[in-house]
Amino acid sequence: MENNNTRRNFLKQTAILSTGTIIGSSLFNSAFASETALNIGNQNLELDNVNAQGLYTLPKLEYNYDGLEPHIDKATMEIHHGKHHQAYVTNLKKAIETLDKNLVEHSKSLENIFEKMSKFPEAIRNNGGGHYNHSLFWSLMKPNGGGTPKGKLGEAITTTFGSFDEFKKQFSDASMKRFGSGWAWLVVQDGKLVIGSTANQDNPLMRLRGKGLKGKPVLALDVWEHAYYLKNQNRRADYIASFWNVVNWEAAEALFNS
Ligand SMILES: [Fe+2]
């Protein structure tokens, strides 16, 4: 029961983060106590990233490690979720312990961290981003996923990019062109769908100086080599092609509509 509650609570957090709205910490904390869950058909877009004590924790996946086979292999999922994502969570907690007192209060939600990103040390940026990005990424995939987005997101993609195939091409291009490690994104920026990418574990919610991608995430793809090297070695294009077979479009549409 506790696990279900915390997962619902993180979902609420994700939905709030996704709005890009600046929310006071008291309201935000009250959201943690909410039982609201975003149910998408038979899918629960529920990600837990905080436990009952308010500490960041590794979310449980909604599918088994082999659930995305043959497109994304079990060994990659075991290491990606159980080792890499776990390391971001562990190192985020360690980094929080080293913060100045005035920043500790602001570190209790990822939303607050991202809002004040430039005030935090690099370890919080890397590991907080890594925790959020991966939590989101797991929810945006599912067994027997793929196909095409329906509803308002499907309409918006066609209107913006001309066709779903053209959208896929542009998103795949952004994924390929991200030099080194990073993420490709579909975001809502000023009311419009925009494709872009970020380096390392940065994400479009982080308030950072410069021209980096900003917006509310709708779709995310991890293009770090750790996401595909075991199965695809250096062939990022093969991994990107596989991703389209596991996309959870219902989850993406829920983010779009939130
Ligand atoms: Fe990753």
Side-chain angles (χ1 to χ4, degrees), residues 80 84 88 134 137-138 183 201 222 224 226-227:
H80 199 177
H84 289 285
Y88 294 120
H134 285 88
F137 183 48
W138 309 134
W183 291 76
Q201 294 297 353
D222 186 345
W224 283 58
H226 70 221

Side-chain angles (χ1 to χ4, degrees), residues 124-171:
I124 298 281
R125 177 175 168 181
N126 290 337
N127 294 295
H131 183 30
Y132 175 80
N133 297 350
H134 285 88
S135 298
L136 186 66
F137 183 48
W138 309 134
S139 78
L140 286 165
M141 297 188 289
K142 68 173 187 176
N144 304 312
T148 56
K150 306 285 188 290
K152 289 179 182 171
L153 176 58
E155 288 170 20
I157 284 175
T158 302
T159 302
T160 306
F161 303 102
S163 67
F164 178 68
D165 285 345
E166 180 59 24
F167 156 74
K168 256 176 84 171
K169 178 176 174 293
Q170 291 186 26
F171 188 93

Side-chain angles (χ1 to χ4, degrees), residues 225-242:
E225 280 191 345
H226 70 221
Y228 59 88
Y229 203 85
L230 284 181
K231 180 170 189 281
N232 303 114
Q233 286 77 53
N234 61 332
R235 299 184 300 277
R236 187 186 286 186
D238 290 356
Y239 160 70
I240 295 166
S242 295

Side-chain angles (χ1 to χ4, degrees), residues 24 30 34 37 54-55 67 75 87 108 115 118 131 179 197 214:
S30 72
S34 168
L55 297 172
K108 292 181 178 173
E115 275 294 325
S118 59
H131 183 30
F179 184 77
S197 69
K214 301 285 186 295

Side-chain angles (χ1 to χ4, degrees), residues 11-26:
L11 169 70
K12 181 69 176 174
Q13 178 187 26
T14 301
I16 292 168
L17 280 168
S18 301
T19 66
T21 306
I22 300 169
I23 299 168
S25 60
S26 59

Side-chain angles (χ1 to χ4, degrees):
M1 177 63 80
E2 177 183 300
N3 192 40
N4 285 340
N5 287 343
T6 55
R7 286 161 65 188
R8 287 193 190 98
N9 293 343
F10 182 68
L11 169 70
K12 181 69 176 174
Q13 178 187 26
T14 301
I16 292 168
L17 280 168
S18 301
T19 66
T21 306
I22 300 169
I23 299 168
S25 60
S26 59
L27 176 57
F28 194 79
N29 288 337
S30 72
F32 276 83
S34 168
E35 290 296 309
T36 305
L38 187 52
N39 295 310
I40 308 151
N42 295 325
Q43 293 274 326
N44 280 339
L45 178 59
E46 294 187 354
L47 310 162
D48 59 339
N49 83 328
V50 289
N51 61 18
Q53 288 75 44
L55 297 172
Y56 295 108
T57 189
L58 186 69
K60 186 179 178 303
L61 296 183
E62 294 293 326
Y63 40 84
N64 295 328
Y65 282 140
D66 63 359
L68 304 179
E69 294 261 15
H71 310 292
I72 298 188
D73 60 296
K74 180 182 178 184
T76 295
M77 287 300 297
E78 281 176 342
I79 292 171
H80 199 177
H81 175 262
K83 303 292 183 187
H84 289 285
H85 190 170
Q86 180 63 65
Y88 294 120
V89 173
T90 302
N91 291 329
L92 176 60
K93 286 194 278 197
K94 280 183 189 167
I96 287 171
E97 287 170 9
T98 69
L99 288 175
D100 292 339
K101 276 184 184 170
N102 62 328
L103 280 177
V104 169
E105 247 339 272
H106 292 300
S107 70
K108 292 181 178 173
S109 78
L110 294 171
E111 180 254 2
N112 277 353
I113 289 174
F114 296 156
E115 275 294 325
K116 297 178 170 57
M117 195 74 262
S118 59
K119 296 186 187 303
F120 283 94
E122 192 133 329
I124 298 281
R125 177 175 168 181
N126 290 337
N127 294 295
H131 183 30
Y132 175 80
N133 297 350
H134 285 88
S135 298
L136 186 66
F137 183 48
W138 309 134
S139 78
L140 286 165
M141 297 188 289
K142 68 173 187 176
N144 304 312
T148 56
K150 306 285 188 290
K152 289 179 182 171
L153 176 58
E155 288 170 20
I157 284 175
T158 302
T159 302
T160 306
F161 303 102
S163 67
F164 178 68
D165 285 345
E166 180 59 24
F167 156 74
K168 256 176 84 171
K169 178 176 174 293
Q170 291 186 26
F171 188 93
S172 299
D173 283 350
S175 304
M176 282 301 293
K177 287 175 181 166
R178 166 48 56 189
F179 184 77
S181 299
W183 291 76
W185 303 90
L186 174 68
V187 301
V188 177
Q189 184 186 84
D190 300 327
K192 289 179 64 179
L193 284 174
V194 175
I195 290 169
S197 69
T198 55
N200 303 314
Q201 294 297 353
D202 287 352
N203 68 47
L205 296 170
M206 290 180 179
R207 189 161 291 192
L208 295 162
R209 289 194 184 91
K211 292 184 177 175
L213 182 72
K214 301 285 186 295
K216 163 187 154 184
V218 174
L219 189 65
L221 176 60
D222 186 345
V223 295
W224 283 58
E225 280 191 345
H226 70 221
Y228 59 88
Y229 203 85
L230 284 181
K231 180 170 189 281
N232 303 114
Q233 286 77 53
N234 61 332
R235 299 184 300 277
R236 187 186 286 186
D238 290 356
Y239 160 70
I240 295 166
S242 295
F243 173 66
W244 296 116
N245 295 314
V246 294
V247 174
N248 182 347
W249 283 115
E250 292 83 2
E253 180 160 15
L255 289 170
F256 180 71
N257 292 335
S258 66

